[in-house]
Amino acid sequence: QVQLVESGGGSVQAGGSLRLSCVGSGYIDSSACVSWFRQAPGKEREWVAAISTGYKSTEYIDSVKGRFTISQDHGKDTVSLQMNGLKPEDTAIYSCAARDTTSTYCSNNWKWYGAWGQGTQVTVSS
């Protein structure tokens, strides 16, 4: 069941930028963890970044640090992932996930999240 809606995927050349958005009315609010995951063909789902909307803390996988930025937009029910300096290895289907929590801890395990989007394709060509 799809509870979140992603947008912003597309095709870019290496070095380019894309901004993904995840809208989740009723799921993304002032006390939630929202993460972005990605899955490339033939590979396992990989956690990319997380934000705690209550504590405004963020975390990233090492391979995207300094290039990707996760943030909660002014509308508060939207979390974005700004992706700069894209590389061919960033090619994947990107999905957002959310879970209500009052904890500062946001898991990087996809099984911890209860609300998901349908995914959006990001393709980076060399």
Side-chain angles (χ1 to χ4, degrees):
Q1 185 177 0
V2 174
Q3 298 112 336
L4 309 176
V5 180
E6 301 109 337
S7 61
S11 298
V12 296
Q13 291 190 326
S17 298
L18 284 172
R19 185 177 180 87
L20 307 182
S21 292
C22 173
V23 180
S25 299
Y27 295 96
I28 298 176
D29 52 25
S30 58
S31 60
C33 279
V34 181
S35 277
W36 285 94
F37 291 82
R38 65 186 180 187
Q39 188 165 20
K43 294 189 176 182
E44 292 188 355
R45 186 179 303 177
E46 177 182 56
W47 171 81
V48 176
I51 183 168
S52 165
T53 61
Y55 295 92
K56 308 303 181 188
S57 59
T58 59
E59 294 185 61
Y60 302 89
I61 194 173
D62 285 347
S63 60
V64 308
K65 284 181 180 177
R67 300 189 296 124
F68 291 11
T69 302
I70 188 171
S71 62
Q72 185 180 19
D73 294 351
H74 295 301
K76 294 198 181 255
D77 64 353
T78 301
V79 167
S80 295
L81 184 68
Q82 177 66 42
M83 305 186 295
N84 299 328
L86 282 162
K87 304 175 181 180
E89 52 263 44
D90 294 318
T91 295
I93 295 175
Y94 285 70
S95 301
C96 62
R99 172 171 170 157
D100 263 348
T101 181
T102 56
S103 171
T104 59
Y105 170 73
C106 290
S107 176
N108 61 6
N109 187 329
W110 65 269
K111 295 179 182 179
W112 189 74
Y113 294 86
W116 286 85
Q118 79 287 356
T120 186
Q121 177 70 47
V122 171
T123 303
V124 185
S125 57
S126 57

